[in-house]
């Protein structure tokens, strides 16, 4: 395999030693769901509406999992997007062995039209595109030249397609970076000795020490698996960003920032009240994000959607537009059909009886618009219920 990035050989060897993520293998489908890996859900979150279903009746997607690791994301991408075509690539042969075994045991390939799991760099995929959806979580920041990686992904994305990225943020990794540098000064290395010394360091620093406290309070559970600990504290190649550099990074590839895939984190209402919140909400979205970045030093990563070419986001503020829309049930609900669900973010969600009735009517008559459904309700009630379902992300509108 060609070493397309200067860091490729050392990063590949690191992940051969510590296949990541260290999630256990299991038989059958993966537990729960992640709506960011269900393209229908991600599409609506980014663009406000789904495209119409094709004549075949099933909406399928061409999906790239760029840097699939041990196949956790690949597994979800297959199970949450039935009938689609999925290409999963990674540079670590040891990690890919785990990914192949994971997807074999889960029956992932049977869910999709095609699943390919291949040892390739995301920089060496010329001719594979275009893809409707590209997932690249925790990958570009491990390249020596992340800009080259983003440009490569941009070239594989179809116009109007969606790219989901996850990159490290400076603020919430302050303690992690100091621990990484301390272990490097101690000559810990990136192998088993580094793992032993890293765990020893965080266990033996004085109890009030900020690095120890931060690890124990924030990351101890997440790094129980050795692979996860190594990925956090021993990785040989890492870049992180602040908001300003992130936006410059996106612009360097000619892509458009669509929005964060964890928008609740970037809402000033999470941190402020009263007059301070009023002042914050008077700012532009970009200024609001900058304010949240300054106020919350625990933000350790950015997760966000990018598109190729300007995209018009569907606007459902018009009564006429909403009544003319068709709709589908979000696939990322636990316990459907019921009024007591787990919502897209795996949090408890309560539907009204009217909400359940409207969604079941849409399921029974998917070709009908919301305004045409055989519900003996006044239009004002129909609109109110539909808007509540939109806000709860139970209803995925179709243009």
């Amino acid at each position: 395999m060609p070493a397309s990035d200067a860091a490729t050989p050392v990063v590949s060897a690191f992940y051969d030693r510590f296949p990541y993520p260290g999630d256990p293998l299991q038989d059958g489908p993966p537990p729960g769901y992640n709506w960011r890996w269900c393209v229908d859900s991600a599409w609506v979150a980014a663009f406000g509406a789904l495209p119409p279903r094709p004549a075949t009746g099933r909406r399928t997607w061409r999906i790239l999992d760029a840097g699939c690791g041990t196949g956790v994301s690949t597994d979800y991408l297959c199970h949450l997007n039935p009938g689609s075509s999925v290409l999963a690539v990674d540079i670590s042969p040891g990690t890919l062995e785990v990914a192949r075994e994971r997807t074999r045991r889960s029956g992932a390939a049977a869910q999709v039209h095609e699943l390919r799991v291949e040892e390739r760099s995301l920089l060496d995929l010329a001719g594979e595109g275009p893809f409707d959806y590209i997932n690249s979580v925790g990958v570009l920041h491990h390249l020596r030249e992340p800009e080259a990686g983003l440009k490569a992904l941009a070239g594989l994305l179809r116009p109007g397609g969606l790219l989901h990225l996850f990159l490290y943020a400076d603020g919430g990794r302050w303690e992690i970076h100091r621990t990484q540098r301390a272990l490097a000064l101690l000559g810990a290395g990136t192998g088993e000795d580094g793992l032993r010394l890293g765990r020893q360091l965080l266990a033996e620093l004085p109890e009030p020490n900020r690095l120890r406290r931060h690890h124990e309070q924030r990351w101890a559970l997440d790094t129980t698996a050795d692979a996860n600990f190594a990925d956090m504290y021993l990785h040989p190649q890492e870049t992180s960003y602040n908001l300003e550099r992130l936006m410059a990074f996106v612009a360097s590839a000619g892509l458009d920032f669509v929005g964060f895939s964890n928008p609740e984190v970037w809402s000033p209402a999470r941190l402020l009240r009263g007059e301070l919140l009023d002042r914050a909400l008077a700012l532009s979205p970009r200024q609001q994000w900058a304010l949240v970045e300054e106020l919350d030093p625990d933000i350790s990563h950015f997760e966000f959607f990018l598109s190729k070419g300007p995209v018009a986001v569907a606007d459902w503020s018009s009564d006429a537009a909403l009544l003319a829309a068709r709709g589908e049930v979000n696939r990322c609900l636990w316990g459907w059909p019921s009024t007591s669900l787990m919502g897209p973010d795996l949090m408890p969600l309560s539907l009204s009886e009217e909400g359940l009735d409207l969604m079941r009517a849409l399921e029974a008559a998917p070709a009908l618009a919301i305004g045409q459904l055989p519900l003996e309700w006044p239009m004002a009630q129909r609109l109110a219920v539909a808007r509540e379902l939109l806000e709860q992300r139970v209803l995925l509108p179709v243009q």
Side-chain angles (χ1 to χ4, degrees):
M1 180 189 70
S4 300
D5 181 84
T8 295
V10 67
V11 173
S12 175
F14 176 78
Y15 281 125
D16 281 346
R17 287 193 295 275
F18 299 109
Y20 181 86
D23 296 37
L25 301 177
Q26 65 174 42
D27 295 320
Y33 45 79
N34 182 323
W35 69 264
R36 299 157 190 85
W37 293 329
C38 175
V39 179
D40 286 8
S41 294
W43 207 268
V44 171
F47 303 139
L50 285 167
R53 284 184 181 270
T56 57
R58 172 180 275 185
R59 190 181 295 107
T60 59
W61 308 96
R62 295 201 73 229
I63 300 169
L64 170 64
D65 197 8
C68 66
T70 59
V72 172
S73 53
T74 308
D75 206 16
Y76 280 100
L77 287 166
C78 290
H79 283 274
L80 293 174
N81 301 284
S84 296
S85 297
V86 178
L87 170 61
V89 301
D90 203 276
I91 59 172
S92 163
T95 294
L96 285 170
E97 286 183 18
V98 181
R100 292 188 179 104
E101 178 65 8
R102 182 186 307 281
T103 53
R104 183 193 68 78
R105 288 179 58 174
S106 78
Q111 303 298 315
V112 291
H113 173 69
E114 179 185 45
L115 170 61
R116 294 156 57 198
V117 181
E118 299 182 356
E119 184 188 345
R120 299 170 70 179
S121 165
L122 62 84
L123 296 166
D124 299 318
L125 297 177
E128 289 288 359
F131 292 96
D132 301 300
Y133 188 81
I134 299 177
N135 178 71
S136 190
V137 171
V139 178
L140 295 184
H141 52 225
H142 291 315
L143 296 177
R144 189 72 55 84
E145 298 181 12
E147 293 80 6
L150 185 60
K151 288 176 182 175
L153 294 180
L156 295 165
L157 188 66
R158 75 161 172 84
L162 195 60
L163 168 59
H164 183 232
L165 291 182
F166 174 113
L167 296 173
Y168 290 146
D170 290 343
R173 294 183 70 80
W174 187 90
E175 292 87 352
I176 294 169
H177 289 159
R178 293 180 77 94
T179 304
Q180 289 170 341
R181 292 193 293 268
L183 288 170
L185 285 169
L186 291 168
T190 61
E192 293 296 333
D193 274 353
L195 182 66
R196 176 180 59 80
L197 291 168
R199 291 201 183 277
Q200 182 179 336
L201 174 68
L202 290 170
E204 295 182 1
L205 283 170
E207 286 189 13
N209 179 273
R210 177 171 170 175
L211 303 187
R212 175 175 172 173
R213 283 190 293 107
H214 182 262
H215 173 75
E216 290 175 346
Q217 294 169 8
R218 183 96 190 271
W219 299 116
L221 186 60
D222 289 345
T223 57
T224 300
D226 287 347
N228 295 6
F229 186 96
D231 186 73
M232 179 167 290
Y233 292 112
L234 305 178
H235 205 289
Q237 176 63 45
E238 178 181 309
T239 301
S240 63
Y241 297 84
N242 62 17
L243 186 64
E244 183 179 357
R245 294 199 313 277
L246 178 74
M247 293 303 175
F249 177 63
V250 170
S252 73
L255 294 169
D256 290 292
F257 186 87
V258 178
F260 290 106
S261 59
N262 56 346
E264 64 285 346
V265 169
W266 296 94
S267 170
R270 183 173 64 86
L271 302 167
L272 302 174
R273 299 289 184 271
E275 180 188 354
L276 291 171
L277 179 58
D278 292 340
R279 286 173 175 264
L281 295 178
L283 301 172
S284 69
R286 179 82 169 262
Q287 290 173 317
Q288 291 183 34
W289 302 336
L291 177 63
V292 171
E293 181 180 42
E294 296 296 343
L295 293 175
D296 188 354
D298 285 335
I299 294 176
S300 61
H301 68 272
F302 299 102
E303 55 181 273
F304 53 98
F305 295 117
L306 304 178
S307 68
K308 188 173 186 178
V311 173
V313 178
D315 180 2
W316 302 112
S317 60
S318 160
D319 290 352
L322 185 53
L323 290 172
R326 288 170 291 129
E328 299 177 13
V329 178
N330 192 334
R331 194 178 296 118
C332 290
L333 301 173
W334 193 275
W336 179 261
S338 170
T339 55
S340 297
L341 306 168
M342 295 294 282
D345 288 313
L346 286 172
M347 297 294 288
L349 178 65
S350 295
L351 259 60
S352 65
E353 291 291 345
E354 292 83 0
L356 181 60
D357 290 343
L358 191 148
M359 293 310 302
R360 298 192 83 162
L362 281 172
E363 283 189 308
L368 294 184
I370 292 172
Q372 299 171 327
L373 293 174
L375 296 167
E376 295 182 0
W377 301 347
M379 284 301 168
Q381 180 182 5
R382 191 178 300 239
L383 285 164
V385 173
R387 289 211 161 90
E388 181 180 49
L389 291 165
L390 280 176
E391 185 176 345
Q392 293 174 315
R393 294 154 62 201
V394 172
L395 169 62
L396 300 184
V398 180
Q399 285 187 320

